Amino acid sequence: MAQTAAHAQGQQHPIKLYLVVWLWLFILSACSYFVDFFQLQGLLRYTLILLFMMLKAGLIVAIFMHMAWERLSLVYAILVPMSAVLVFVAIMVLEADYTLLSRIIFFNSGS
């Protein structure tokens, strides 16, 4: 009887876990701020910003959306499509560079 009542209320996680995650989110946000503060430029800037963004998103999804405690099939149902989208975006970025180079060569050769 007590087990079904506890199951109906849901699993409770210690407050320390949430405080640690909030601390890490604060640290990662501060690191993102320092990328702008130190005026980093170019590929390093965008790589660091994207890295900090992905780490923060991963923490939020894993802890606050409770994905760390979900069934593996549900995790796969969310992570596999998102990973496929990232792969397709990377392919489009590479294709965009090729298309831009082709257009530059074509339009500069005609004049």
Side-chain angles (χ1 to χ4, degrees):
M1 182 70 135
Q3 184 180 12
T4 57
H7 182 64
Q9 289 180 358
Q11 184 179 9
Q12 297 294 321
H13 303 291
I15 191 76
K16 180 182 176 185
L17 173 68
Y18 293 107
L19 293 175
V20 168
V21 171
W22 276 108
L23 177 68
W24 275 108
L25 289 172
F26 178 78
I27 290 169
L28 291 170
S29 295
C31 291
S32 294
Y33 172 76
F34 284 126
V35 167
D36 285 334
F37 182 78
F38 291 123
Q39 298 177 355
L40 298 175
Q41 297 297 322
L43 185 62
L44 177 63
R45 172 192 175 99
Y46 297 113
T47 302
L48 288 174
I49 288 174
L50 287 174
L51 175 72
F52 295 140
M53 177 192 67
M54 294 296 276
L55 288 173
K56 290 190 296 185
L59 276 173
I60 290 168
V61 168
I63 303 302
F64 294 115
M65 295 178 71
H66 304 283
M67 290 300 289
W69 299 282
E70 293 294 336
R71 293 179 185 248
L72 193 57
S73 60
L74 181 61
V75 173
Y76 285 156
I78 292 174
L79 292 182
V80 170
M82 287 187 347
S83 299
V85 167
L86 288 175
V87 167
F88 292 139
V89 167
I91 291 170
M92 286 188 290
V93 166
L94 293 173
E95 181 68 20
D97 287 342
Y98 171 76
T99 303
L100 178 64
L101 180 63
S102 298
R103 288 178 181 178
I104 289 173
I105 290 172
F106 176 76
F107 288 118
N108 284 340
S109 66
S111 45

